[in-house]
Amino acid sequence: MKTTQCRLCEASLPAPIMGLPDTPLANEFTKTKEYQERLPLKLVSCNNCHHYQLNYSVEADRLFNKDYVFVTGTSEINVKYFTEYAKDVVTRLNLKPGDFVVEIASNDGTLLKAFKNLGMRVLGIDPAEAIAMKASKSGIETLPYFFTEKLSKKIKEEYGSPKLICANNVLAHLDNVIDIVKGVKNLLTEDGTFIFENSYFKDMYVNNIPDLIYHEHMSHFLVYPLQVLFQSHGMFFYDVQPRDVHGGSIRGYVRMKPFWAPQQVSSVDDFIKIERELGLIGQGDKNIKMASWKERINKLSGKLWSTINQYAEDGKKVVAYGAPSKFTTLSYMLDLDTENIAYVVDDNPLKQGTFSPGKHIPVVDSSELKK
C-alpha cells in the first residue's frame, strides 16, 4: 500500500529520493521454492520534518505474524549487548528493585530477562504469537499484541504505569509511530523515561550501508525529525547516544515535558548540527546527496559482485554467513542466487531448513561448514 503522508508529522510526502531493487519481504523465508511477490523499495524524505522513510507500507499483521522468525536470544552478541544495556540504564536512571519496566516489541524477552535479574518487575509486548508464548513460558510475561494507545490504557489499568518503557528497533518497523508515542505518553509514570534504539540514517549514509533498507524498516531515523515528533506530543527528547550496532545506531532518552526533566544535553544539538552539515535535513541538498550516495553504493556493489562471481567461476564454493533481513536486500542488489552462493549458514533454528526470500538460497546450520 502506497504511503502518502509522513509517519512522523503527517505532511504530504514528495516523490521518491532514491530507489533500490524491488524485493519480497525480507523475513519471509519459505519451506519450499515458491513464488514470492516483490514489493517496491523507494525512499522518500519529508520536506517538512526531513524524516526518511519508505513510500510503501506492508500490513503489520503480515510482517510480524505467528511465523515471524527473528529471535534476539539466538545471538550471543545480542545477549551480551542487552545485558550491558540493562545494567547501564539501571545505573543511569537510578532504578530500584521492584520498579516496573515495559518493553515494546520485546521478542523473546532477552532484554527484560536482564532487567528481571537486576530486580525489576517486567512486562513484554510482542505481536509474534509463537515468540511471545515462548517468552512467557520462560518466565517473562509477554502480551501477544501490537502496542497501541488503546492497549496502553488497558496495561495501565491492569498493571500500573512503568518507570521505564523501552523500544528497541521497533519505531522503524511500524506505520503508526504517532500512535505508539501517544501510548507511551499515556502509560509512562510522570517521572518515567522512554528509551528507544534505532539504526541511524546518518551512519547508513556515511558508511554506505543500504542493505538496512527493507520493508520492515519503514522509517530511517535522524535525530532532527525525532525531536520534532516528541516536541509535537509534549515530550522532551533530552539525550541521544551513538551505539555501535546495526551499522550505527542511536539510543534516545525521552521524558514527559510538563514534568521535571534534565536540562537538554548538547548531544541532541550536536547530532542535529552534523545532520545539517551533511545536507541530510536541508531542503536544497537532499536530492544531490542521495544521488551521490546511490552512485557510491553502485560502485561498491559492483566490486563485491565481481569478487563473489570470480570465486564462483574459479570453482570455489561461496557461502554466506548469517541470514538477517538485510541479506534479502543485498541478494537483490547483487543479484545473488544459487549460481554464486551455495548456501547461507545461520544459528536461528527457525530459519534453518528454509530458503531465502525470492532467491531461494538454502539456509543451513553452521555445522555444514565443517563438512
Side-chain angles (χ1 to χ4, degrees):
M1 179 178 65
K2 188 172 182 180
T3 298
T4 59
Q5 288 185 306
C6 176
R7 292 176 174 90
L8 301 194
C9 73
E10 298 183 306
S12 296
L13 289 175
I17 201 167
M18 178 180 161
L20 294 178
D22 297 355
T23 74
L25 296 185
N27 255 317
E28 279 194 345
F29 290 78
T30 59
K31 292 291 186 179
T32 59
K33 295 181 180 181
E34 59 191 63
Y35 169 78
Q36 291 170 276
E37 178 186 14
R38 290 168 60 178
L39 304 173
L41 274 181
K42 290 183 171 59
L43 196 67
V44 299
S45 177
C46 174
N47 286 333
N48 181 51
C49 71
H50 307 295
H51 178 47
Y52 288 77
Q53 58 205 289
L54 298 185
N55 71 343
Y56 191 88
S57 299
V58 180
E59 299 83 357
D61 288 337
R62 184 177 174 189
L63 289 173
F64 306 104
N65 56 35
K66 61 182 176 60
D67 298 319
Y68 187 61
V69 293
F70 177 79
V71 181
T72 305
T74 58
S75 166
E76 292 183 8
I77 293 175
N78 282 341
V79 173
K80 181 179 179 181
Y81 179 82
F82 284 119
T83 299
E84 293 303 315
Y85 177 132
K87 291 178 181 177
D88 177 67
V89 168
V90 166
T91 300
R92 179 184 173 95
L93 301 182
N94 195 30
L95 297 180
K96 306 299 183 184
D99 281 344
F100 186 27
V101 177
V102 168
E103 185 180 9
I104 302 169
S106 53
N107 200 260
D108 65 354
T110 296
L111 174 61
L112 290 179
K113 182 179 180 180
F115 277 115
K116 186 176 181 179
N117 290 340
L118 293 170
M120 307 298 119
R121 183 167 65 96
V122 301
L123 177 68
I125 305 154
D126 198 288
E129 293 180 13
I131 295 175
M133 184 181 299
K134 185 177 180 180
S136 292
K137 288 182 178 178
S138 73
I140 304 299
E141 183 179 0
T142 304
L143 304 180
Y145 307 116
F146 288 100
F147 183 79
T148 61
E149 184 182 17
K150 181 178 180 180
L151 180 63
S152 76
K153 295 176 182 178
K154 183 177 179 181
I155 293 172
K156 189 173 185 177
E157 181 180 337
E158 295 184 9
Y159 295 86
S161 292
K163 192 76 175 269
L164 171 66
I165 299 177
C166 298
N168 301 299
N169 302 301
V170 59
L171 295 182
H173 289 181
L174 297 173
D175 247 349
N176 63 331
V177 179
I178 291 174
D179 189 62
I180 289 173
V181 171
K182 289 180 178 178
V184 168
K185 183 177 180 180
N186 172 71
L187 182 58
L188 202 61
T189 60
E190 294 182 355
D191 61 346
T193 303
F194 173 52
I195 298 179
F196 65 89
E197 281 196 9
N198 280 297
S199 59
Y200 186 31
F201 185 69
K202 188 272 288 185
D203 289 341
M204 290 172 58
Y205 171 78
V206 171
N207 298 321
N208 300 315
I209 308 175
D211 52 0
L212 285 172
I213 299 174
Y214 48 86
H215 296 101
E216 285 180 21
H217 284 176
M218 299 181 194
S219 291
H220 296 277
F221 290 106
L222 295 172
V223 170
Y224 176 79
L226 285 166
Q227 185 184 57
V228 172
L229 169 69
F230 291 117
Q231 283 180 344
S232 69
H233 292 280
M235 301 181 76
F236 189 51
F237 181 19
Y238 70 90
D239 195 13
V240 60
Q241 300 172 328
R243 312 304 300 175
D244 189 22
V245 292
H246 301 298
S249 298
I250 52 173
R251 180 183 296 173
Y253 295 79
V254 183
R255 298 192 72 146
M256 304 292 288
K257 190 174 182 179
F259 303 97
W260 179 87
Q263 183 179 0
Q264 183 173 357
V265 296
S266 62
S267 62
V268 174
D269 293 331
D270 289 344
F271 273 70
I272 293 173
K273 180 181 178 182
I274 293 171
E275 293 166 2
R276 289 192 186 281
E277 290 173 349
L278 288 172
L280 295 177
I281 57 174
Q283 292 287 9
D285 293 336
K286 288 190 291 187
N287 285 302
I288 296 173
K289 295 294 183 179
M290 289 300 103
S292 174
W293 191 41
K294 184 67 181 293
E295 185 177 343
R296 297 200 309 268
I297 290 166
N298 288 341
K299 287 181 180 178
L300 291 169
S301 298
K303 290 180 180 179
L304 181 55
W305 182 89
S306 296
T307 300
I308 291 171
N309 278 275
Q310 186 61 57
Y311 281 128
E313 289 174 5
D314 291 344
K316 297 178 181 178
K317 181 183 287 187
V318 181
V319 302
Y321 194 90
S325 303
K326 56 190 174 184
F327 178 73
T328 300
T329 300
L330 189 65
S331 67
Y332 275 85
M333 287 178 61
L334 302 184
D335 195 21
L336 302 178
D337 54 29
T338 51
E339 292 293 318
N340 38 36
I341 300 291
Y343 55 80
V344 188
V345 297
D346 197 280
D347 292 330
N348 184 346
L350 295 177
K351 289 185 178 180
Q352 293 163 7
T354 66
F355 295 95
S356 69
K359 295 294 186 175
H360 300 144
I361 303 171
V363 182
V364 300
D365 184 89
S366 57
S367 61
E368 189 71 22
L369 293 171
K370 300 176 183 178
K371 297 181 179 178

